[in-house]
PDB file of all heavy atoms in Angstrom:
ATOM      1  N   ALA B 138     -16.958  13.260  -4.421  1.00 71.00           N
ATOM      2  CA  ALA B 138     -15.626  13.867  -4.533  1.00 71.00           C
ATOM      3  C   ALA B 138     -15.628  15.067  -5.464  1.00 71.00           C
ATOM      4  O   ALA B 138     -14.616  15.730  -5.618  1.00 71.00           O
ATOM      5  CB  ALA B 138     -14.608  12.839  -5.007  1.00 71.00           C
ATOM      6  N   GLY B 139     -16.748  15.343  -6.096  1.00 73.00           N
ATOM      7  CA  GLY B 139     -16.821  16.558  -6.886  1.00 73.00           C
ATOM      8  C   GLY B 139     -16.892  16.363  -8.383  1.00 73.00           C
ATOM      9  O   GLY B 139     -16.678  17.310  -9.141  1.00 73.00           O
ATOM     10  N   ALA B 140     -17.198  15.167  -8.838  1.00 80.00           N
ATOM     11  CA  ALA B 140     -17.412  14.977 -10.267  1.00 80.00           C
ATOM     12  C   ALA B 140     -18.690  15.700 -10.678  1.00 80.00           C
ATOM     13  O   ALA B 140     -19.615  15.840  -9.888  1.00 80.00           O
ATOM     14  CB  ALA B 140     -17.505  13.498 -10.605  1.00 80.00           C
ATOM     15  N   ASP B 141     -18.725  16.175 -11.913  1.00 77.00           N
ATOM     16  CA  ASP B 141     -19.896  16.918 -12.359  1.00 77.00           C
ATOM     17  C   ASP B 141     -20.944  16.004 -12.962  1.00 77.00           C
ATOM     18  O   ASP B 141     -22.125  16.331 -12.981  1.00 77.00           O
ATOM     19  CB  ASP B 141     -19.471  17.968 -13.382  1.00 77.00           C
ATOM     20  CG  ASP B 141     -18.599  19.016 -12.752  1.00 77.00           C
ATOM     21  OD1 ASP B 141     -17.375  18.777 -12.624  1.00 77.00           O
ATOM     22  OD2 ASP B 141     -19.134  20.038 -12.343  1.00 77.00           O
ATOM     23  N   ASP B 142     -20.514  14.879 -13.452  1.00 78.00           N
ATOM     24  CA  ASP B 142     -21.441  13.914 -14.018  1.00 78.00           C
ATOM     25  C   ASP B 142     -20.694  12.598 -14.189  1.00 78.00           C
ATOM     26  O   ASP B 142     -19.477  12.542 -14.001  1.00 78.00           O
ATOM     27  CB  ASP B 142     -21.961  14.392 -15.375  1.00 78.00           C
ATOM     28  CG  ASP B 142     -23.301  13.748 -15.722  1.00 78.00           C
ATOM     29  OD1 ASP B 142     -23.723  12.826 -14.994  1.00 78.00           O
ATOM     30  OD2 ASP B 142     -23.916  14.173 -16.715  1.00 78.00           O
ATOM     31  N   TYR B 143     -21.434  11.564 -14.503  1.00 80.00           N
ATOM     32  CA  TYR B 143     -20.780  10.286 -14.705  1.00 80.00           C
ATOM     33  C   TYR B 143     -21.395   9.577 -15.904  1.00 80.00           C
ATOM     34  O   TYR B 143     -22.465   9.942 -16.386  1.00 80.00           O
ATOM     35  CB  TYR B 143     -20.935   9.401 -13.474  1.00 80.00           C
ATOM     36  CG  TYR B 143     -22.319   8.832 -13.342  1.00 80.00           C
ATOM     37  CD1 TYR B 143     -22.607   7.580 -13.882  1.00 80.00           C
ATOM     38  CD2 TYR B 143     -23.340   9.537 -12.740  1.00 80.00           C
ATOM     39  CE1 TYR B 143     -23.886   7.060 -13.806  1.00 80.00           C
ATOM     40  CE2 TYR B 143     -24.616   9.024 -12.659  1.00 80.00           C
ATOM     41  CZ  TYR B 143     -24.885   7.786 -13.193  1.00 80.00           C
ATOM     42  OH  TYR B 143     -26.142   7.280 -13.138  1.00 80.00           O
ATOM     43  N   LEU B 144     -20.707   8.577 -16.384  1.00 83.00           N
ATOM     44  CA  LEU B 144     -21.171   7.787 -17.508  1.00 83.00           C
ATOM     45  C   LEU B 144     -20.758   6.350 -17.222  1.00 83.00           C
ATOM     46  O   LEU B 144     -19.660   6.090 -16.751  1.00 83.00           O
ATOM     47  CB  LEU B 144     -20.510   8.288 -18.792  1.00 83.00           C
ATOM     48  CG  LEU B 144     -21.230   8.025 -20.116  1.00 83.00           C
ATOM     49  CD1 LEU B 144     -22.657   8.539 -20.065  1.00 83.00           C
ATOM     50  CD2 LEU B 144     -20.477   8.714 -21.239  1.00 83.00           C
ATOM     51  N   VAL B 145     -21.675   5.433 -17.505  1.00 80.00           N
ATOM     52  CA  VAL B 145     -21.404   4.034 -17.220  1.00 80.00           C
ATOM     53  C   VAL B 145     -20.894   3.339 -18.480  1.00 80.00           C
ATOM     54  O   VAL B 145     -21.472   3.474 -19.553  1.00 80.00           O
ATOM     55  CB  VAL B 145     -22.679   3.334 -16.716  1.00 80.00           C
ATOM     56  CG1 VAL B 145     -22.429   1.850 -16.517  1.00 80.00           C
ATOM     57  CG2 VAL B 145     -23.145   3.963 -15.409  1.00 80.00           C
ATOM     58  N   LYS B 146     -19.787   2.631 -18.325  1.00 79.00           N
ATOM     59  CA  LYS B 146     -19.250   1.872 -19.446  1.00 79.00           C
ATOM     60  C   LYS B 146     -19.989   0.553 -19.613  1.00 79.00           C
ATOM     61  O   LYS B 146     -20.315  -0.076 -18.600  1.00 79.00           O
ATOM     62  CB  LYS B 146     -17.751   1.590 -19.224  1.00 79.00           C
ATOM     63  CG  LYS B 146     -16.918   2.836 -19.252  1.00 79.00           C
ATOM     64  CD  LYS B 146     -15.437   2.503 -19.364  1.00 79.00           C
ATOM     65  CE  LYS B 146     -14.906   1.895 -18.081  1.00 79.00           C
ATOM     66  NZ  LYS B 146     -13.431   1.703 -18.128  1.00 79.00           N
ATOM     67  N   PRO B 147     -20.236   0.096 -20.821  1.00 79.00           N
ATOM     68  CA  PRO B 147     -19.922   0.796 -22.072  1.00 79.00           C
ATOM     69  C   PRO B 147     -20.968   1.859 -22.391  1.00 79.00           C
ATOM     70  O   PRO B 147     -22.092   1.763 -21.939  1.00 79.00           O
ATOM     71  CB  PRO B 147     -19.974  -0.332 -23.097  1.00 79.00           C
ATOM     72  CG  PRO B 147     -20.935  -1.322 -22.520  1.00 79.00           C
ATOM     73  CD  PRO B 147     -20.848  -1.206 -21.044  1.00 79.00           C
ATOM     74  N   PHE B 148     -20.582   2.815 -23.186  1.00 83.00           N
ATOM     75  CA  PHE B 148     -21.504   3.919 -23.477  1.00 83.00           C
ATOM     76  C   PHE B 148     -21.429   4.246 -24.968  1.00 83.00           C
ATOM     77  O   PHE B 148     -20.499   3.827 -25.657  1.00 83.00           O
ATOM     78  CB  PHE B 148     -21.130   5.145 -22.670  1.00 83.00           C
ATOM     79  CG  PHE B 148     -19.679   5.506 -22.812  1.00 83.00           C
ATOM     80  CD1 PHE B 148     -19.239   6.297 -23.875  1.00 83.00           C
ATOM     81  CD2 PHE B 148     -18.736   5.042 -21.902  1.00 83.00           C
ATOM     82  CE1 PHE B 148     -17.911   6.623 -24.010  1.00 83.00           C
ATOM     83  CE2 PHE B 148     -17.395   5.362 -22.039  1.00 83.00           C
ATOM     84  CZ  PHE B 148     -16.976   6.151 -23.093  1.00 83.00           C
ATOM     85  N   ARG B 149     -22.397   4.996 -25.431  1.00 80.00           N
ATOM     86  CA  ARG B 149     -22.365   5.442 -26.818  1.00 80.00           C
ATOM     87  C   ARG B 149     -21.682   6.802 -26.866  1.00 80.00           C
ATOM     88  O   ARG B 149     -21.862   7.643 -25.982  1.00 80.00           O
ATOM     89  CB  ARG B 149     -23.782   5.572 -27.367  1.00 80.00           C
ATOM     90  CG  ARG B 149     -24.635   4.304 -27.183  1.00 80.00           C
ATOM     91  CD  ARG B 149     -25.236   3.802 -28.490  1.00 80.00           C
ATOM     92  NE  ARG B 149     -25.573   4.860 -29.425  1.00 80.00           N
ATOM     93  CZ  ARG B 149     -26.739   5.511 -29.421  1.00 80.00           C
ATOM     94  NH1 ARG B 149     -27.647   5.205 -28.525  1.00 80.00           N
ATOM     95  NH2 ARG B 149     -26.964   6.452 -30.314  1.00 80.00           N
ATOM     96  N   MET B 150     -20.909   7.014 -27.902  1.00 83.00           N
ATOM     97  CA  MET B 150     -20.166   8.270 -28.009  1.00 83.00           C
ATOM     98  C   MET B 150     -21.085   9.480 -27.996  1.00 83.00           C
ATOM     99  O   MET B 150     -20.748  10.514 -27.426  1.00 83.00           O
ATOM    100  CB  MET B 150     -19.320   8.269 -29.289  1.00 83.00           C
ATOM    101  CG  MET B 150     -17.946   7.665 -29.129  1.00 83.00           C
ATOM    102  SD  MET B 150     -17.079   8.303 -27.675  1.00 83.00           S
ATOM    103  CE  MET B 150     -16.992  10.049 -28.090  1.00 83.00           C
ATOM    104  N   GLU B 151     -22.258   9.324 -28.610  1.00 75.00           N
ATOM    105  CA  GLU B 151     -23.189  10.465 -28.639  1.00 75.00           C
ATOM    106  C   GLU B 151     -23.527  10.909 -27.216  1.00 75.00           C
ATOM    107  O   GLU B 151     -23.650  12.097 -26.934  1.00 75.00           O
ATOM    108  CB  GLU B 151     -24.484  10.104 -29.372  1.00 75.00           C
ATOM    109  CG  GLU B 151     -24.321   9.798 -30.865  1.00 75.00           C
ATOM    110  CD  GLU B 151     -23.927   8.350 -31.079  1.00 75.00           C
ATOM    111  OE1 GLU B 151     -24.621   7.460 -30.589  1.00 75.00           O
ATOM    112  OE2 GLU B 151     -22.875   8.114 -31.710  1.00 75.00           O
ATOM    113  N   GLU B 152     -23.681   9.910 -26.356  1.00 80.00           N
ATOM    114  CA  GLU B 152     -24.038  10.263 -24.992  1.00 80.00           C
ATOM    115  C   GLU B 152     -22.896  10.973 -24.278  1.00 80.00           C
ATOM    116  O   GLU B 152     -23.094  11.948 -23.555  1.00 80.00           O
ATOM    117  CB  GLU B 152     -24.437   9.006 -24.208  1.00 80.00           C
ATOM    118  CG  GLU B 152     -25.063   9.360 -22.884  1.00 80.00           C
ATOM    119  CD  GLU B 152     -25.625   8.166 -22.152  1.00 80.00           C
ATOM    120  OE1 GLU B 152     -25.401   7.016 -22.606  1.00 80.00           O
ATOM    121  OE2 GLU B 152     -26.283   8.374 -21.124  1.00 80.00           O
ATOM    122  N   LEU B 153     -21.682  10.480 -24.497  1.00 87.00           N
ATOM    123  CA  LEU B 153     -20.525  11.137 -23.901  1.00 87.00           C
ATOM    124  C   LEU B 153     -20.471  12.603 -24.314  1.00 87.00           C
ATOM    125  O   LEU B 153     -20.324  13.500 -23.478  1.00 87.00           O
ATOM    126  CB  LEU B 153     -19.236  10.424 -24.323  1.00 87.00           C
ATOM    127  CG  LEU B 153     -17.937  11.106 -23.895  1.00 87.00           C
ATOM    128  CD1 LEU B 153     -17.853  11.167 -22.376  1.00 87.00           C
ATOM    129  CD2 LEU B 153     -16.717  10.382 -24.442  1.00 87.00           C
ATOM    130  N   VAL B 154     -20.621  12.830 -25.622  1.00 83.00           N
ATOM    131  CA  VAL B 154     -20.546  14.204 -26.127  1.00 83.00           C
ATOM    132  C   VAL B 154     -21.664  15.055 -25.545  1.00 83.00           C
ATOM    133  O   VAL B 154     -21.452  16.208 -25.151  1.00 83.00           O
ATOM    134  CB  VAL B 154     -20.607  14.206 -27.673  1.00 83.00           C
ATOM    135  CG1 VAL B 154     -20.747  15.620 -28.193  1.00 83.00           C
ATOM    136  CG2 VAL B 154     -19.361  13.547 -28.238  1.00 83.00           C
ATOM    137  N   ALA B 155     -22.864  14.446 -25.463  1.00 77.00           N
ATOM    138  CA  ALA B 155     -24.004  15.197 -24.943  1.00 77.00           C
ATOM    139  C   ALA B 155     -23.778  15.618 -23.495  1.00 77.00           C
ATOM    140  O   ALA B 155     -24.011  16.772 -23.120  1.00 77.00           O
ATOM    141  CB  ALA B 155     -25.276  14.355 -25.048  1.00 77.00           C
ATOM    142  N   ARG B 156     -23.285  14.679 -22.707  1.00 81.00           N
ATOM    143  CA  ARG B 156     -23.073  14.997 -21.289  1.00 81.00           C
ATOM    144  C   ARG B 156     -21.951  16.008 -21.119  1.00 81.00           C
ATOM    145  O   ARG B 156     -21.994  16.869 -20.245  1.00 81.00           O
ATOM    146  CB  ARG B 156     -22.736  13.725 -20.518  1.00 81.00           C
ATOM    147  CG  ARG B 156     -23.830  12.713 -20.602  1.00 81.00           C
ATOM    148  CD  ARG B 156     -23.990  12.000 -19.295  1.00 81.00           C
ATOM    149  NE  ARG B 156     -25.076  11.047 -19.397  1.00 81.00           N
ATOM    150  CZ  ARG B 156     -25.807  10.667 -18.368  1.00 81.00           C
ATOM    151  NH1 ARG B 156     -25.564  11.176 -17.187  1.00 81.00           N
ATOM    152  NH2 ARG B 156     -26.776   9.813 -18.523  1.00 81.00           N
ATOM    153  N   LEU B 157     -20.954  15.882 -21.950  1.00 85.00           N
ATOM    154  CA  LEU B 157     -19.854  16.835 -21.908  1.00 85.00           C
ATOM    155  C   LEU B 157     -20.370  18.239 -22.212  1.00 85.00           C
ATOM    156  O   LEU B 157     -20.036  19.209 -21.519  1.00 85.00           O
ATOM    157  CB  LEU B 157     -18.804  16.409 -22.936  1.00 85.00           C
ATOM    158  CG  LEU B 157     -17.355  16.737 -22.616  1.00 85.00           C
ATOM    159  CD1 LEU B 157     -17.015  16.358 -21.194  1.00 85.00           C
ATOM    160  CD2 LEU B 157     -16.449  16.028 -23.590  1.00 85.00           C
ATOM    161  N   ARG B 158     -21.199  18.342 -23.239  1.00 78.00           N
ATOM    162  CA  ARG B 158     -21.792  19.629 -23.581  1.00 78.00           C
ATOM    163  C   ARG B 158     -22.559  20.183 -22.394  1.00 78.00           C
ATOM    164  O   ARG B 158     -22.470  21.374 -22.091  1.00 78.00           O
ATOM    165  CB  ARG B 158     -22.763  19.467 -24.761  1.00 78.00           C
ATOM    166  CG  ARG B 158     -22.088  19.387 -26.089  1.00 78.00           C
ATOM    167  CD  ARG B 158     -22.856  20.166 -27.161  1.00 78.00           C
ATOM    168  NE  ARG B 158     -22.179  19.987 -28.452  1.00 78.00           N
ATOM    169  CZ  ARG B 158     -22.453  18.971 -29.269  1.00 78.00           C
ATOM    170  NH1 ARG B 158     -23.375  18.089 -28.958  1.00 78.00           N
ATOM    171  NH2 ARG B 158     -21.787  18.870 -30.409  1.00 78.00           N
ATOM    172  N   ALA B 159     -23.308  19.289 -21.759  1.00 70.00           N
ATOM    173  CA  ALA B 159     -24.147  19.737 -20.641  1.00 70.00           C
ATOM    174  C   ALA B 159     -23.297  20.328 -19.519  1.00 70.00           C
ATOM    175  O   ALA B 159     -23.583  21.420 -19.022  1.00 70.00           O
ATOM    176  CB  ALA B 159     -24.977  18.583 -20.115  1.00 70.00           C
ATOM    177  N   ILE B 160     -22.254  19.618 -19.150  1.00 74.00           N
ATOM    178  CA  ILE B 160     -21.470  20.141 -18.025  1.00 74.00           C
ATOM    179  C   ILE B 160     -20.629  21.337 -18.440  1.00 74.00           C
ATOM    180  O   ILE B 160     -20.296  22.175 -17.614  1.00 74.00           O
ATOM    181  CB  ILE B 160     -20.582  19.051 -17.376  1.00 74.00           C
ATOM    182  CG1 ILE B 160     -19.493  18.585 -18.306  1.00 74.00           C
ATOM    183  CG2 ILE B 160     -21.409  17.880 -16.909  1.00 74.00           C
ATOM    184  CD1 ILE B 160     -18.564  17.575 -17.645  1.00 74.00           C
ATOM    185  N   LEU B 161     -20.324  21.440 -19.732  1.00 74.00           N
ATOM    186  CA  LEU B 161     -19.606  22.631 -20.185  1.00 74.00           C
ATOM    187  C   LEU B 161     -20.535  23.838 -20.175  1.00 74.00           C
ATOM    188  O   LEU B 161     -20.107  24.961 -19.933  1.00 74.00           O
ATOM    189  CB  LEU B 161     -19.053  22.421 -21.593  1.00 74.00           C
ATOM    190  CG  LEU B 161     -17.789  21.570 -21.662  1.00 74.00           C
ATOM    191  CD1 LEU B 161     -17.455  21.202 -23.103  1.00 74.00           C
ATOM    192  CD2 LEU B 161     -16.625  22.309 -21.024  1.00 74.00           C
ATOM    193  N   ARG B 162     -21.803  23.580 -20.442  1.00 63.00           N
ATOM    194  CA  ARG B 162     -22.774  24.670 -20.507  1.00 63.00           C
ATOM    195  C   ARG B 162     -22.934  25.321 -19.133  1.00 63.00           C
ATOM    196  O   ARG B 162     -22.856  26.540 -18.994  1.00 63.00           O
ATOM    197  CB  ARG B 162     -24.120  24.139 -21.005  1.00 63.00           C
ATOM    198  CG  ARG B 162     -24.995  25.237 -21.593  1.00 63.00           C
ATOM    199  CD  ARG B 162     -26.247  24.622 -22.184  1.00 63.00           C
ATOM    200  NE  ARG B 162     -25.907  23.460 -23.024  1.00 63.00           N
ATOM    201  CZ  ARG B 162     -26.544  22.302 -22.954  1.00 63.00           C
ATOM    202  NH1 ARG B 162     -27.514  22.136 -22.078  1.00 63.00           N
ATOM    203  NH2 ARG B 162     -26.216  21.297 -23.746  1.00 63.00           N
ATOM    204  N   ARG B 163     -23.186  24.479 -18.134  1.00 58.00           N
ATOM    205  CA  ARG B 163     -23.224  25.075 -16.791  1.00 58.00           C
ATOM    206  C   ARG B 163     -21.771  25.228 -16.342  1.00 58.00           C
ATOM    207  O   ARG B 163     -21.186  24.343 -15.763  1.00 58.00           O
ATOM    208  CB  ARG B 163     -24.035  24.237 -15.812  1.00 58.00           C
ATOM    209  CG  ARG B 163     -23.806  22.768 -15.868  1.00 58.00           C
ATOM    210  CD  ARG B 163     -24.813  22.068 -14.981  1.00 58.00           C
ATOM    211  NE  ARG B 163     -24.908  20.654 -15.332  1.00 58.00           N
ATOM    212  CZ  ARG B 163     -24.347  19.662 -14.626  1.00 58.00           C
ATOM    213  NH1 ARG B 163     -23.670  19.909 -13.555  1.00 58.00           N
ATOM    214  NH2 ARG B 163     -24.466  18.432 -15.015  1.00 58.00           N
TER     215      ARG B 163
END
Side-chain angles (χ1 to χ4, degrees):
Chain B
D141 294 83
D142 203 351
Y143 75 93
L144 204 54
V145 176
K146 294 194 289 186
F148 51 85
R149 307 234 327 273
M150 272 312 299
E151 295 85 54
E152 191 173 8
L153 173 62
V154 171
R156 300 218 179 208
L157 211 47
R158 281 220 183 88
I160 67 177
L161 282 170
R162 202 175 313 134
R163 44 188 162 103

